[in-house]
Amino acid sequence: GAVVSQHPSWVICKSGTSVKIECRSLDFQATTMFWYRQFPKQSLMLMATSNEGSKATYEQGVEKDKFLINHASLTLSTLTVTSAHPEDSSFYICSAGGGRGQGPYNEQFFGPGTRLTVL
Amino acid sequence: AQKITQTQPGMFVQEKEAVTLDCTYDTSDPSYGLFWYKQPSSGEMIFLIYQGSYDQQNATEGRYSLNFQKARKSANLVISASQLGDSAMYFCAMRGISSGTYKYIFGTGTRLKVLA
């Protein structure tokens, strides 16, 4: 299947700092990528839809100014957690569709995730 | 509104036996896709199998098969000949056309433990 990478795989930062997470589609172009957040032993919660060349679409309850998303190219989307606090500690996962398109019949490929710990 | 329900928070199965993980869904979309993902303790989401709403036959991928009953709105995952490496969290997901961006709706997951 298609390959999606994330960097870094884990990060520890102090409260008040900003952290940038990269999501790359390595062997296909992705006009749309998705960012999820997962708490321990819970399901994935969609945070936002990242659209190449335009603004991200955020889910209800997700702070746009807190979680900045930039989709600068067809292979790269970034999530920046601004002024991180301990409650932002979580597992962040991105996903992207393959070259067959973004329809309901196409599976998403997920990155390996980034574990963020804010001290 | 779309919804995915997984009623089994945890399941045990003996190695080499088959196990069924339940998934029911609710949607008013005429066209949708149903997916199963495996999430081992490492956290990565591994795509297992897909079923389209208009598919007449149940999907199969190696030891994985999807028991799709459209009238009952269920899409159960069947794992045959369970292996120790199958121990993981399993998520059922749905994509429909109403959202426009085809975003996933996930169930709460089922944690499967394969016993030696």
Side-chain angles (χ1 to χ4, degrees):
Chain A
V3 179
V4 176
S5 70
Q6 265 184 257
H7 178 81
S9 55
W10 60 269
V11 58
I12 300 173
C13 69
K14 292 183 178 180
S15 185
T17 61
S18 294
V19 175
K20 180 185 284 188
I21 302 171
E22 292 186 349
C23 177
R24 293 182 184 274
S25 56
L26 298 183
D27 53 359
F28 63 97
Q29 294 181 329
T31 55
T32 303
M33 293 183 176
F34 299 91
W35 286 97
Y36 298 86
R37 183 175 182 176
Q38 186 180 30
F39 291 106
K41 298 184 179 181
Q42 293 189 23
S43 187
L44 280 71
M45 182 193 78
L46 179 65
M47 300 175 63
T49 302
S50 175
N51 305 299
E52 188 269 335
S54 64
K55 292 183 179 180
T57 304
Y58 290 82
E59 294 300 300
Q60 191 172 7
V62 177
E63 299 177 59
K64 301 178 183 180
D65 296 332
K66 177 83 175 162
F67 300 99
L68 300 179
I69 291 173
N70 184 277
H71 196 149
S73 74
L74 288 171
T75 59
L76 174 64
S77 175
T78 60
L79 168 68
T80 301
V81 184
T82 62
S83 186
H85 289 94
E87 57 266 29
D88 299 324
S89 297
S90 190
F91 191 58
Y92 294 87
I93 312 176
C94 69
S95 73
R100 291 186 294 156
Q102 298 295 318
Y105 303 108
N106 305 133
E107 69 272 23
Q108 287 281 304
F109 296 98
F110 286 81
T114 297
R115 195 164 300 280
L116 170 64
T117 302
V118 184
L119 303 177
Chain B
Q2 298 181 327
K3 186 177 181 181
I4 290 278
T5 303
Q6 293 180 256
T7 58
Q8 306 155 314
M11 290 278 287
F12 289 96
V13 64
Q14 204 68 37
E15 192 178 11
K16 298 181 184 179
E17 292 187 349
V19 63
T20 297
L21 306 184
D22 295 341
C23 173
T24 58
Y25 62 92
D26 191 20
T27 182
S28 55
D29 278 337
S31 177
Y32 50 90
L34 296 158
F35 305 81
W36 278 92
Y37 284 85
K38 172 184 177 181
Q39 187 179 42
S41 57
S42 60
E44 60 184 312
M45 293 287 284
I46 302 169
F47 167 70
L48 296 178
I49 196 168
Y50 150 81
Q51 179 85 41
S53 58
Y54 286 107
D55 290 342
Q56 296 297 315
Q57 294 189 334
N58 288 342
T60 59
E61 288 287 348
R63 294 187 298 113
Y64 305 107
S65 61
L66 203 154
N67 185 359
F68 181 47
Q69 298 187 43
K70 193 172 183 178
R72 299 179 67 177
K73 294 190 175 180
S74 71
N76 299 338
L77 177 69
V78 180
I79 305 174
S80 63
S82 296
Q83 302 171 357
L84 295 178
D86 293 334
S87 293
M89 194 75 170
Y90 289 81
F91 290 99
C92 180
M94 177 172 62
R95 297 181 92 183
I97 62 173
S98 64
S99 70
T101 57
Y102 309 119
K103 58 187 178 184
Y104 273 176
I105 304 297
F106 281 95
T108 51
T110 296
R111 184 168 298 280
L112 177 67
K113 175 70 175 177
V114 180
L115 305 173

